[in-house]
Amino acid sequence: TVTVASKITLSDLQPSADDITGDVLAGLSATPKTLPSKYFYDEHGSRLFEQITREPEYYLTRVELDLLEASMPSIAEAVTPRAHVVEYGSGSGRKTHLLLDGLADPVAYTPIEISRTALLASVERLADAYPDVEMLPVCADFTQPVPLPIPSRGNGHVLVFFPGSTLGNFLPADAERLLRSMRETMGAGGQALIGIDLDKEPALIEAAYNDAAGVTADFTLNLLVRLNRDIGSDFDVDSFAHRAVYSRERMRIETHLVSLRDQQVTVAGRQFSFLDGEAMEVEYSHKYTDASFAALAARAGLRVIERWNDPKGWFGLRLLAA
Ligand code: AVI
């Protein structure tokens, strides 16, 4: 059983059908049309993402895990001891284990996650493995500052953990806003450990987002399946194709759903026309250089105090402080 501090509200903050409809109508009314990538992660979408992380071309997860494992002794030295680890998203996988195993005496662990089900499942799995680490899950949207529960073993300094290069899925202005919120959540003396995918040979990056088995294409198209189910839209899923191209100039993968014919789509009684070949933006995955990431952090009032890159320079971990 998991002991959850009484002050914490474990309400489910999943967006309602009305919220999703509003976002989709706004996106389809824009030029070019867009759909928010945050809606990729329904149950099936989350499973497909897990599958992507095991595809041979998707180097990000493997390289980050190896980097985290190899760097853990040096990370543990750089992190203030007795940390209150605050993970953005519901951890419980190998990255969370590597961090909690490697740090000196972490006092508490707080995953911040919108889905109550995912949140509780993650702390239930971790509670058994770390009986000395207080589990303090918080159901919230981590893009906003989050008031944290105080661990009963004293007010440990916060270490925000945000792996996976998920930051890269935010547009630069939104990433900056998120880092500002993070700075508030961290509080005085807090730190953040962030995983970032690094700029590299475009062919390697493009392969990661166009795996031969087609899992990424299924993942992107599942967005339409999900919308049809949850908001009653009528996207003809077979009439759209996944396309992911790396923009060197913007240092990001730009994923589109391309219409394969002239067609009409109805959402909440409103009709939207697609031309044959029209591309709708669905996801960005930004990549960084040392300089571009340090500049982004600086705009949010944060400093890079330590950095670790894998031997090939494909993926990085950055330790930030205010
Ligand atoms: C979760 N996020 C960091 C993934 C990425 O690489 O941008 C999502 C993803 N999209 C396609 N493949 C993986």
Side-chain angles (χ1 to χ4, degrees):
T1 53
V2 177
T3 320
V4 171
S6 55
K7 280 181 300 204
I8 302 165
T9 335
L10 281 179
S11 52
D12 204 319
L13 301 176
Q14 298 278 27
S16 68
D18 282 352
D19 296 337
I20 304 178
T21 304
D23 286 348
V24 170
L25 289 176
L28 294 182
S29 308
T31 313
K33 295 183 181 68
T34 66
L35 288 176
S37 62
K38 65 178 177 188
Y39 295 134
F40 280 162
Y41 302 92
D42 67 341
E43 223 182 296
H44 187 55
S46 301
R47 259 203 308 275
L48 285 171
F49 176 64
E50 281 303 309
Q51 209 178 323
I52 288 174
T53 66
R54 293 190 297 269
E55 290 306 307
E57 298 92 337
Y58 195 78
Y59 59 85
L60 289 80
T61 313
R62 264 188 312 277
V63 175
E64 185 180 35
L65 273 167
D66 289 349
L67 174 63
L68 188 59
E69 187 161 19
S71 319
M72 208 48 235
S74 135
I75 292 172
E77 262 178 45
V79 169
T80 312
R82 297 175 46 77
H84 175 186
V85 176
V86 175
E87 182 161 359
Y88 278 20
S90 54
S92 66
R94 274 188 61 205
K95 291 177 208 170
T96 309
H97 280 282
L98 283 170
L99 186 69
L100 291 177
D101 289 342
L103 287 180
D105 192 20
V107 294
Y109 174 73
T110 292
I112 303 179
E113 161 68 52
I114 276 180
S115 155
R116 181 176 172 274
T117 320
L119 185 63
L120 287 177
S122 110
V123 288
E124 258 166 39
R125 283 194 293 264
L126 287 163
D128 287 342
Y130 302 97
D132 296 334
V133 179
E134 193 177 4
M135 296 290 148
L136 298 170
V138 172
C139 199
D141 171 1
F142 63 64
T143 63
Q144 308 297 321
V146 179
L148 294 175
I150 311 249
S152 50
R153 276 216 286 144
N155 193 358
H157 285 298
V158 168
L159 173 70
V160 169
F161 184 43
F162 192 34
S165 200
T166 302
L167 183 69
N169 294 130
F170 293 81
L171 285 166
D174 295 330
E176 182 185 327
R177 239 188 309 273
L178 191 158
L179 290 175
R180 277 180 195 282
S181 296
M182 186 181 286
R183 198 184 63 179
E184 257 183 71
T185 302
M186 278 156 54
Q191 297 170 319
L193 183 65
I194 300 188
I196 50 171
D197 194 19
L198 299 172
D199 184 40
K200 61 182 73 61
E201 169 56 40
L204 287 165
I205 305 180
E206 283 184 353
Y209 292 84
N210 292 283
D211 61 289
V215 185
T216 308
D218 287 349
F219 173 71
T220 310
L221 286 161
N222 179 62
L223 175 60
L224 303 183
V225 177
R226 186 252 160 107
L227 294 178
N228 286 349
R229 185 194 59 227
D230 290 347
I231 64 167
S233 51
D234 67 351
F235 287 99
D236 177 12
V237 180
D238 294 333
S239 294
F240 287 89
H242 159 90
R243 185 176 77 195
V245 175
Y246 189 62
S247 161
R248 268 196 140 123
E249 192 196 330
R250 299 207 153 103
M251 281 203 292
R252 65 187 187 191
I253 280 282
E254 301 180 342
T255 300
H256 291 95
L257 281 170
V258 180
S259 176
L260 298 175
R261 57 181 174 87
D262 289 343
Q263 56 180 323
Q264 304 272 329
V265 174
T266 308
V267 181
R270 281 177 57 187
Q271 287 230 320
F272 296 90
S273 304
F274 285 83
L275 295 172
D276 188 4
E278 184 176 343
M280 172 166 60
E281 299 169 350
V282 293
E283 189 187 47
Y284 295 123
S285 298
H286 291 81
K287 314 302 170 190
Y288 303 92
T289 59
D290 246 348
S292 76
F293 183 74
L296 169 63
R299 289 198 298 277
L302 292 166
R303 284 174 305 125
V304 176
I305 53 172
E306 288 284 348
R307 49 187 280 287
W308 299 269
N309 290 347
D310 74 284
K312 286 191 279 207
W314 284 12
F315 201 94
L317 288 164
R318 298 290 180 268
L319 187 66
L320 305 179

